[in-house]
Amino acid sequence: MEYRRLGKSGLKVSEIALGSWLTYGTVTERQQSIACVKEAYDQGINHFDCANVYGSEPHAAEVVLGEALAPYDRDSYVLTTKAFWPTGKGPNDKGLSRKHIFTQVEQSLRALNVDYVDIFYCHRFDPETDLEETLRALDDLVSQGKILYAGLSEWQPNQIADGIRLQREFNLHKFAASQPVYNMLNRYIEHAVIPICDDAGIGQVVFSPLAQGVLTGKYRRGQAAPEGSRGATDRVKAFVERQLNDETLSKVERLEGVAKEAGLSLAQLAIAWILRLDSVSSALIGASRPEQVLENVKASGVKLDGDTLDKIEEILA
């Protein structure tokens, strides 16, 4: 496993990180979840991602992840969580108000059974809360030591730029991480998000590097989604089906050929392609079985040559 700086911060994170969206506290049985975390830790992954709304109910995934990480020295891993989405039916049970952020950080710390999280993400932009209020709440939590770094997830370029400007203007702790979707089939961050973040020293921790499993080659044109796959699971089916068209699956078939020539699995090629960018600090994988972790970590340290990158670009274009 190789490690990278999180943007311009001093924090070092593993190139491959383990996420818990749609898995822990939901479709993945508890012991299997713990086994995946153990495999990840044993393989050198030091970066574990969660959120207050992951799981079958608020904080459910955090409880499982906290239990899985309990045997390990707290200083040896980087732990994240997030807030924005509703956690209840009350008027203050959502968003990025000072009240909701403080409430959710406290509840997340209890669920994870830790004293602090390394990175706390604003899970989306909140148009109903003054941005200065949100940023000052994050700054206070950093000063209190309950979060070490602040981050954002899936903000628009102008929203990121406004946040950076206000942090500079009021001398607040800076964002260290951005968590957007990024993969071979979804490259929107290349145009504006990455340049803005690079200039401010914000590292990318990208999710869905395998496009919900589409970039593993398991889905085929004219065939039903394999039993047990995300494309066959009611809870997440819609996320996958939108990409299961002939044009996309044809590209995937051609990419498999490139992967074979490079001596890699398609998943390893897809992750290595993401890590070609210095702007990316970590690629967040999901895993319901330990062997999936073992397969994906092999992408760390892989350097794709120019010929391979050109072939990929031709297919994606």
Side-chain angles (χ1 to χ4, degrees):
M1 178 59 61
E2 295 192 9
Y3 302 86
R4 299 184 177 192
R5 285 176 64 190
L6 181 65
K8 291 181 181 177
S9 77
L11 186 64
K12 300 289 181 64
V13 292
S14 48
E15 288 187 333
I16 312 295
L18 183 64
S20 48
W21 180 47
L22 302 177
T23 48
Y24 308 150
T26 53
V27 298
T28 305
E29 192 269 339
R30 174 178 156 277
Q31 289 301 325
Q32 193 78 340
S33 301
I34 293 173
C36 289
V37 172
K38 182 180 185 304
E39 185 66 58
Y41 191 89
D42 289 347
Q43 294 299 321
I45 288 178
N46 76 338
H47 189 183
F48 298 90
D49 181 77
C50 205
N52 62 340
V53 292
Y54 292 172
S56 56
E57 59 185 14
H59 305 287
E62 291 175 327
V63 170
V64 175
L65 184 58
E67 183 180 352
L69 290 171
Y72 309 117
D73 185 350
R74 178 64 186 90
D75 293 335
S76 69
Y77 59 85
V78 173
L79 181 60
T80 83
T81 194
K82 313 176 186 74
F84 166 78
W85 298 108
T87 54
K89 297 181 179 179
N92 293 306
D93 290 340
K94 62 180 180 179
L96 296 176
S97 68
R98 183 181 184 87
K99 180 176 179 61
H100 187 63
I101 288 174
F102 270 68
T103 298
Q104 289 308 301
V105 166
E106 292 294 344
Q107 292 183 7
S108 290
L109 293 179
R110 285 197 294 270
L112 291 162
N113 195 27
V114 294
D115 295 325
Y116 69 93
V117 292
D118 297 271
I119 307 169
F120 175 82
Y121 289 98
C122 298
H123 209 166
R124 291 296 186 272
F125 184 82
D126 183 3
E128 297 185 354
T129 299
D130 183 76
L131 183 54
E132 183 182 343
E133 176 182 336
T134 297
L135 298 179
R136 288 193 181 277
L138 297 175
D139 186 72
D140 286 343
L141 286 166
V142 172
S143 296
Q144 293 171 13
K146 293 180 179 179
I147 69 176
L148 302 188
Y149 301 91
L152 55 96
S153 180
E154 289 284 81
W155 286 24
Q156 295 300 309
N158 64 304
Q159 296 164 349
I160 299 172
D162 286 344
I164 292 168
R165 176 180 55 79
L166 286 175
Q167 287 171 332
R168 288 172 174 167
E169 181 179 343
F170 296 115
N171 196 30
L172 304 176
H173 287 96
K174 300 183 295 183
F175 285 123
S178 164
Q179 189 175 124
V181 60
Y182 182 58
N183 55 59
M184 287 177 165
L185 305 177
N186 189 341
R187 303 173 62 174
Y188 86 92
I189 66 170
E190 293 177 359
H191 303 295
V193 171
I194 285 180
I196 291 171
C197 289
D198 279 355
D199 183 64
I202 300 170
Q204 306 298 321
V205 177
V206 304
F207 69 89
S208 198
L210 302 179
Q212 297 300 313
V214 176
L215 289 169
T216 64
K218 69 176 69 174
Y219 303 104
R220 298 291 180 179
R221 284 183 292 174
Q223 298 181 17
E227 186 177 349
S229 69
R230 289 188 174 185
T233 304
D234 288 340
R235 176 178 166 82
V236 296
K237 201 173 184 179
F239 291 105
V240 181
E241 283 187 337
R242 67 185 65 167
Q243 298 186 90
L244 298 183
N245 55 71
D246 285 349
E247 180 182 358
T248 296
L249 293 179
S250 176
K251 289 180 179 180
V252 170
E253 289 174 6
R254 294 173 65 192
L255 288 167
E256 283 187 286
V258 177
K260 187 175 181 180
E261 290 177 10
L264 302 168
S265 69
L266 178 54
Q268 291 163 359
L269 180 79
I271 295 171
W273 178 85
I274 286 171
L275 293 172
R276 81 198 188 284
L277 297 179
D278 292 337
S279 302
V280 174
S281 301
S282 281
L284 270 169
I285 64 168
S288 56
R289 302 189 308 276
E291 52 267 31
Q292 292 173 326
V293 176
L294 191 58
E295 172 76 5
N296 289 337
V297 296
K298 294 176 183 177
S300 178
V302 172
K303 308 298 181 187
L304 302 178
D305 61 38
D307 184 53
T308 300
L309 291 172
D310 287 344
K311 290 177 181 177
I312 292 171
E313 194 62 36
E314 182 181 354
I315 293 169
L316 298 181

